[in-house]
Amino acid sequence: MKKKITEDWKFKQVGGSHYMYMEIQPAEFINKNKLLFAEGNAIKYIVRAKNKGGKEDLLKAKHYIDMIIERDYE
C-alpha cells in the first residue's frame, strides 16, 4: 500500500525558520517545477540569503549557476 504524502512538510523546518516566513517555500517551488539539483539549490540559496547566509549564500547560488552554465552551455 502506497503511503499518502501530505503537505505537512510545508509547515516543518529542521534547523531554523528562514523559510517559514515565505509565502511559497523553495522546496515547494522546486518540487512542483521538477527542477534539477543545481537549479533547485541556486534558488534555495538566493531566496534564503537575506535571512540566513547573506553574501555566502549568494556565492553558493553563483557556484550552482556556474555549474549549470558549464553543464548546459559549454
Side-chain angles (χ1 to χ4, degrees):
M1 176 182 252
K2 189 174 180 181
K3 183 177 178 180
K4 183 180 177 188
I5 298 174
T6 67
E7 293 197 4
D8 291 343
W9 63 269
K10 293 181 190 177
F11 305 105
K12 296 178 185 175
Q13 182 176 339
V14 177
S17 61
H18 45 279
Y19 298 124
M20 298 302 293
Y21 73 92
M22 296 179 182
E23 191 170 327
I24 299 172
Q25 290 193 28
E28 181 179 3
F29 178 84
I30 291 162
N31 288 332
K32 284 188 175 185
N33 289 286
K34 298 177 175 57
L35 298 180
L36 298 175
F37 182 80
E39 286 81 350
N41 272 332
I43 289 168
K44 174 186 77 169
Y45 285 122
I46 289 168
V47 299
R48 79 177 203 180
K50 233 186 342 183
N51 295 330
K52 187 169 187 217
K55 181 179 178 181
E56 182 177 3
D57 275 352
L58 294 176
L59 291 171
K60 289 177 183 179
K62 183 180 179 297
H63 172 72
Y64 281 103
I65 292 168
D66 290 341
M67 290 169 72
I68 295 164
I69 291 169
E70 183 176 315
R71 180 192 71 203
D72 295 345
Y73 301 100
E74 292 182 3

